[in-house]
Amino acid sequence: MLQICVESIKTETPDTATFYLRPVSGERIPYKAGQFITLVVNHHGEEIRRSYSLSSSPDEDLLSITVKRVANGEISRYLLAYAKPGDVWDVVEPAGRFTVPNDAGNKELLYFAAGGGIPPVYAHLKYLLKHSTDCRITLFYSNINPQSIIYKKQLDELQTQHPQQLKIIHLLSSEVQRLNNIMVEKLVKQYVKKDIDDAEFYLCGPFSYMRMVRLTLLYMGIPPEHIHRETFVLETVPVSTSVTNFPPHKMRIHYQGEWHDLMTGENQTILQAALQNQLHLPYSCANGVCAACAVKCKSGKVTIVKNEVLTDDEMKQGWVLTCTGYAVSDDVQLDYEI
């Protein structure tokens, strides 16, 4: 667990603000552009976790998150109404796999973002435009109207500074430019200048929005491994009971330099067993969609009952999710130090 202090707050739109944050320890927190942090809040005596994408780039001195008011969202409403400079927050280390490619080279990168889904995309743009001078980036950004566009001035400045690399297309519902599958296909064919199979696609926004874009891209023949989504959820959802019966099993977990021997109870996930034994492993959504709890399984067998984030290749390499993962053998060893 880390502690960060609110340095300043900037209003972006009437219902959105950016919080600039500095680690209390004074040490830089390593992360990749596009990752998120998880706030741990004690609200009315209950621990609540909320994940927010970092809108900052690793090159910047301060961390930043941009919070948009969510209907019935207790934490987002509280932050926007009451948070102030000097506040100290408890957070879980940055996590997430919605990150920039290791080698953007001269690739074509197409981003689809909607509304409050722009923060990790904004982090990507800043990082890529500084470190990858040959890649070509196109952003399709959907909003209700011009007043609801987050980072409008900053995005315009980036496009002006990098006219050969960055193209931004604003799609506004107020101007009858609501994105649909036909428009997705048309835009991709219009703006991909090279081989469409070599382009990389990044999606961030409401679930239904990302699903529509992803299904359209798959229908167009885009390889699944070239489609990347930000899949964490803001609301913490408890793990549902599985119809499968998972008996108790022994396991070992290597975390923060120590090995811990634990026993999972009947139908108890690895994360639940760890927390019950006061081993506070990292996690956020607790529902198999964010990868904050991902860990390498060195031996034994783990069954994951819900997975919205790990790829087939990552699972073949041994990566598992503790929040929806159950030990199904007595020789399970998980290693956070790899």
Side-chain angles (χ1 to χ4, degrees), residues 111 136 164 191 216 222 264 267 314 324 332:
Y111 286 84
R136 186 174 181 276
Q164 302 304 315
Y191 285 95
T216 303
I222 305 299
T264 61
N267 291 329
E314 287 173 329
T324 58
V332 170

Side-chain angles (χ1 to χ4, degrees), residues 6 13 37 58 77 86 117-118 136 157 166 171 197 206 304 319 327:
V6 179
T13 69
I37 58 173
R77 287 185 299 168
I118 193 65
R136 186 174 181 276
E157 289 176 351
L166 177 62
L171 304 172
D197 290 337
I304 303 174
W319 287 97

Side-chain angles (χ1 to χ4, degrees), residues 237-276:
V237 182
V239 178
S240 58
T241 302
S242 171
V243 296
T244 304
N245 183 64
F246 294 100
H249 281 290
K250 299 176 183 178
M251 64 176 177
R252 302 195 76 205
I253 300 177
H254 191 208
Y255 182 60
Q256 293 185 337
E258 295 183 19
W259 282 100
H260 303 266
D261 293 299
L262 304 176
M263 173 74 76
T264 61
E266 185 173 1
N267 291 329
Q268 188 176 49
T269 67
I270 294 169
L271 179 60
Q272 289 169 339
L275 295 177
Q276 182 178 323

Side-chain angles (χ1 to χ4, degrees), residues 30-332:
Y31 66 96
K32 296 180 180 179
Q35 290 191 305
F36 60 85
I37 58 173
T38 300
L39 273 60
V40 181
V41 181
N42 188 303
H43 194 60
H44 300 309
E46 177 186 1
E47 180 182 284
I48 298 177
R49 298 190 177 213
R50 294 292 184 269
S51 299
Y52 294 97
S53 291
L54 287 162
S55 52
S56 53
S57 164
D59 299 309
E60 298 175 271
D61 291 334
L62 297 176
L63 300 170
S64 66
I65 61 172
T66 299
V67 179
K68 183 179 177 67
R69 182 175 286 105
V70 178
N72 299 319
E74 286 184 290
I75 305 306
S76 64
R77 287 185 299 168
Y78 176 83
L79 293 178
L80 291 170
Y82 299 107
K84 60 187 182 303
D87 286 352
V88 175
W89 298 344
D90 292 325
V91 301
V92 178
E93 293 86 346
R97 282 167 162 71
F98 189 72
T99 55
V100 295
N102 292 328
D103 181 17
N106 60 356
K107 289 184 178 180
E108 285 196 87
L109 308 175
L110 282 81
Y111 286 84
F112 286 87
I118 193 65
V121 173
Y122 182 44
H124 277 215
L125 298 184
K126 290 186 287 185
Y127 186 85
L128 288 167
L129 292 172
K130 181 173 182 178
H131 294 274
S132 302
T133 57
D134 295 326
C135 67
R136 186 174 181 276
I137 307 167
T138 305
L139 166 62
F140 306 106
Y141 187 18
S142 297
N143 281 285
I144 297 174
N145 52 46
Q147 294 72 38
S148 63
I149 300 175
I150 303 172
Y151 312 135
K152 177 65 167 64
K153 180 180 178 181
Q154 298 96 311
L155 291 172
D156 287 346
E157 289 176 351
L158 283 178
Q159 187 170 218
T160 300
Q161 294 166 2
H162 305 274
Q164 302 304 315
Q165 278 190 274
L166 177 62
K167 178 68 175 178
I168 300 175
I169 293 86
H170 291 285
L171 304 172
L172 303 177
S173 300
S174 62
E175 298 179 9
V176 197
Q177 296 173 323
R178 186 180 295 275
L179 195 69
N180 56 34
N181 56 340
I182 296 174
M183 187 182 293
V184 170
E185 187 169 357
K186 179 180 178 181
L187 290 172
V188 171
K189 290 179 178 179
Q190 179 180 350
Y191 285 95
V192 173
K193 302 303 181 184
K194 299 180 181 179
D195 188 347
I196 194 171
D197 290 337
D198 292 333
E200 299 282 343
F201 297 83
Y202 292 83
L203 325 177
C204 194
F207 174 78
S208 58
Y209 168 90
M210 293 193 293
R211 178 178 59 188
M212 181 274 294
V213 176
R214 182 174 183 273
L215 289 176
T216 303
L217 295 175
L218 291 173
Y219 176 79
M220 293 177 65
I222 305 299
E225 60 270 21
H226 287 195
I227 305 173
H228 315 276
R229 297 174 296 164
E230 176 53 283
T231 53
F232 75 81
V233 293
L234 293 179
E235 299 300 322
T236 300
V237 182
V239 178
S240 58
T241 302
S242 171
V243 296
T244 304
N245 183 64
F246 294 100
H249 281 290
K250 299 176 183 178
M251 64 176 177
R252 302 195 76 205
I253 300 177
H254 191 208
Y255 182 60
Q256 293 185 337
E258 295 183 19
W259 282 100
H260 303 266
D261 293 299
L262 304 176
M263 173 74 76
T264 61
E266 185 173 1
N267 291 329
Q268 188 176 49
T269 67
I270 294 169
L271 179 60
Q272 289 169 339
L275 295 177
Q276 182 178 323
N277 285 274
Q278 303 304 310
L279 178 57
H280 298 285
L281 301 178
Y283 75 95
S284 179
C285 73
N287 199 36
V289 298
C290 78
C293 70
V295 63
K296 202 72 168 288
C297 182
K298 295 181 62 178
S299 66
K301 186 176 180 182
V302 173
T303 294
I304 303 174
V305 298
K306 182 176 180 181
N307 170 36
E308 298 281 344
V309 61
L310 295 179
T311 65
D312 290 341
D313 285 342
E314 287 173 329
M315 294 181 71
K316 288 178 182 177
Q317 294 168 17
W319 287 97
V320 298
L321 303 176
T322 64
C323 70
T324 58
Y326 295 81
V328 291
S329 67
D330 280 331
D331 58 342
V332 170

